[in-house]
Amino acid sequence: MAASMKVCRIRSCAVYSRIKSNSKHSHLYKQCRHNSTQENLKGVIGLEIHAQINTKSKLFSASPTAFGAPTNTQVSIFDAALPGTLPVLNGECVRAGVKTAIALNSKINKVSKFDRKHYFYADLPQGYQITQQRKPLGVGGEVEYILIDDNNRYVLKTARITQLQLEQDSGRSVHDEEAGQSLIDLNRAGIGLMEIVTEPDFENGIDCSSFVREVQLMMRQLQVCLGSFREGGLRVDANISVHSPDQPLGVRSEVKNLGSLKDLRNAVDYEIERQKRLIKNGGTVINETRTFDSESRKTIPMRDKERMQDYRFMPEPNLPPLHLLDSSTAIHTKQTNMVNIDEEIQKMPPLPRDVRNYLLNNCMLSLRNVYILANEDKGVEFFKEVMKFSKSPPNLIGNFIVNDLLGVYNTKEAKIRRSPISPDIVAEIVDIRESGYSSPTHCCRLVEMYLNQSTTDRPRTVVDNNGWRLIRDVETLKPVCVRILEANPRLVKKYCTGKEEKSLNSLMMKGLNETQKKAHPAKMKELFIELLEEEKLKQR
Ligand code: ADP
Ligand code: MG
């Protein structure tokens, strides 16, 4: 057995066909195939994002939606499901759904429908959730996002959207451990949700969280969702399976209610490893619902959902189909409160992908810098402000903000969002650095000084007062270079015999030391090369 496994890994194809054709060894073929399948198992994930819609009132009632209100103070008789109450659709929730569907590049159904999804749970007084099962608001679509791959490279990736549907949120159960009671808060019951379902296009935790981050930024930009995990405005379910890429998809488990990007990342990676281990040990993955415990960082089966649910979907009888307008149908209707898809397309603000394309193509920023700036709260806005004040090329401004400024900010827990250093000061520091007025090291010192508020002078004045100006004038630098060449004939010889790079590096080190690192490096290098080339000619 051990021998057959070994051969399998080295010469899999040839050995497969040989063993396969020899019926006496067919059991070995099966074993071989099984083992190779187990060895290259890959994770496959599809996501369901539940985003609370940022409207003043709920999806089907006029109750307010503010977060953090005292329990059960935002509950209308409809939210409490008193008999005889009827839903009235909130047009602003529809508008938010349409905007989001446009941004997801989905096809928008001009007529969509509502359905009842039945389940019994204490925080769902109706006994069903109104959702869109048969004909959702948006179908298909795709989202481009930046991902850090296994080799730490930044790459652009696209994931496909299955659909976007409008639905109601449930209430919240609060468990009082001491009294042994479960209490229900219906403030959340009936708040509008957008559920965004994706195709199984993700491979691991970071892939999933990068995608959700993109959708979060997009929804914030559209102002359709506050996008806060902490306040329950965003929750994600991850459907996870593993398979060998040449095989059909494996059986999936569903990890419910992930409440942060970090939990999403950890839950997905844990679950992939758990399923791989299970299969390698001869077990099988079962289709079950699991929950993630952030403390132990493990997924565990959810006890209340052990049996397969039958949701008994049926059309919602109290709501007519949802009709949308576009430019061709708008002229035939007098109803001005209906959402017009084409008008919403016209009003689209720049989306994260537009900002990204601007930074990549117009400002020539690297994908890494774009990713870091876009993920930093107010990062792009700050970059644009600095650009207004600075004379340096935008890509160098980007480098400075990401590498130098954020580098110092991160160690001091400062944030760009409330930047302690104003954009015009940052711009002046970038220009000082890029024009070679002072050294990169001293520019970092400048950042630290402004952060510690140890100066109120302009950066150039600080540089001048501290003697941090780089020496660029030939009259001062040339004699230094000449002296160093005279004192190091071996290095000169090395240069003249073809080892230019090495010799120059050593000479530069000596030159910078001699000037207490105040020599302008590029200028000094230029002078060294000039003198050395003259020497080369003389030696010929
Ligand atoms: P359900 O309605 O039972 O939740 P769906 O077929 O609508 O099931 O799928 C829900 C999510 O599960 C989608 O995001 C889909 O991409 C994902 N999914 C479906 N099959 C798999 C699989 N084998 N592995 C991973 N994800 C899957
Ligand atoms: Mg599901």
Side-chain angles (χ1 to χ4, degrees), residues 32 88 100 200 266 301 413 475 509:
C32 259
V88 180
T100 311
N266 288 335
E413 289 185 14
E475 294 75 49
M509 206 124 83

Side-chain angles (χ1 to χ4, degrees), residues 221-449:
Q221 185 66 27
L222 292 172
Q223 300 187 331
V224 294
C225 170
L226 296 177
S228 157
F229 276 101
R230 211 170 301 151
E231 297 184 356
L234 263 190
R235 279 159 280 151
V236 180
D237 300 342
N239 296 271
I240 304 155
S241 64
V242 295
H243 77 147
S244 166
D246 55 352
Q247 301 288 311
L249 292 187
V251 175
R252 70 185 146 122
S253 63
E254 183 171 2
V255 185
K256 287 266 187 201
N257 263 328
L258 294 160
S260 70
L261 291 177
K262 191 168 153 210
D263 277 4
L264 170 63
R265 215 164 38 233
N266 288 335
V268 166
D269 288 337
Y270 173 83
E271 188 56 20
I272 290 172
E273 284 312 311
R274 185 190 72 85
Q275 293 186 10
K276 280 187 186 169
R277 229 175 11 237
L278 191 67
I279 294 173
K280 279 184 187 153
N281 292 334
T284 46
V285 177
I286 52 168
N287 187 332
E288 63 178 348
T289 313
R290 300 174 74 88
T291 183
F292 181 67
D293 175 35
S294 357
E295 258 171 43
S296 64
R297 291 200 183 179
K298 288 181 175 164
T299 66
I300 35 184
M302 269 163 87
R303 261 175 288 128
D304 59 332
K305 297 245 169 108
E306 267 166 2
R307 282 172 293 115
M308 265 293 277
Q309 298 246 5
D310 175 6
Y311 293 122
R312 295 181 296 117
F313 280 103
M314 59 174 269
E316 165 59 52
N318 293 329
L319 284 166
L322 165 56
H323 285 262
L324 298 172
L325 298 176
D326 61 19
S327 44
S328 64
T329 51
I331 39 173
H332 305 300
T333 179
K334 290 198 178 62
Q335 280 181 277
T336 49
N337 60 348
M338 284 173 76
V339 177
N340 183 320
I341 304 168
D342 290 323
E343 273 176 18
E344 296 306 324
I345 293 175
Q346 294 294 321
K347 287 190 284 190
M348 272 283 122
L351 293 170
R353 65 164 174 264
D354 303 318
V355 176
R356 189 161 54 229
N357 286 338
Y358 165 76
L359 296 176
L360 285 173
N361 304 329
N362 297 49
C363 304
M364 311 307 278
L365 259 59
S366 66
L367 207 50
R368 171 180 176 268
N369 287 353
V370 172
Y371 179 86
I372 294 173
L373 275 183
N375 276 299
E376 185 72 31
D377 200 0
K378 297 269 179 278
V380 177
E381 286 86 343
F382 190 81
F383 166 76
K384 285 186 179 168
E385 277 300 300
V386 176
M387 217 161 57
K388 277 189 208 156
F389 292 102
S390 166
K391 293 189 211 65
S392 306
N395 64 329
L396 299 180
I397 300 175
N399 277 345
F400 184 81
I401 295 181
V402 169
N403 301 327
D404 301 81
L405 192 73
L406 275 175
V408 177
Y409 275 21
N410 287 341
T411 58
K412 302 268 157 73
E413 289 185 14
K415 293 272 173 230
I416 291 264
R417 178 165 39 94
R418 282 191 302 267
S419 178
I421 312 180
S422 60
D424 61 311
I425 296 278
V426 173
E428 196 170 320
I429 303 178
V430 180
D431 291 349
I432 286 174
R433 182 189 155 124
E434 297 313 330
S435 64
Y437 194 76
S438 186
S439 70
T441 318
H442 283 132
C443 287
C444 279
R445 290 272 294 278
L446 278 173
V447 170
E448 277 165 13
M449 282 176 79

Side-chain angles (χ1 to χ4, degrees), residues 44-48 162 197-200 239-241 249-252 254:
V44 174
I45 307 108
L47 299 173
E48 293 162 73
T162 313
V197 184
T198 77
E199 293 293 304
N239 296 271
I240 304 155
S241 64
L249 292 187
V251 175
R252 70 185 146 122
E254 183 171 2

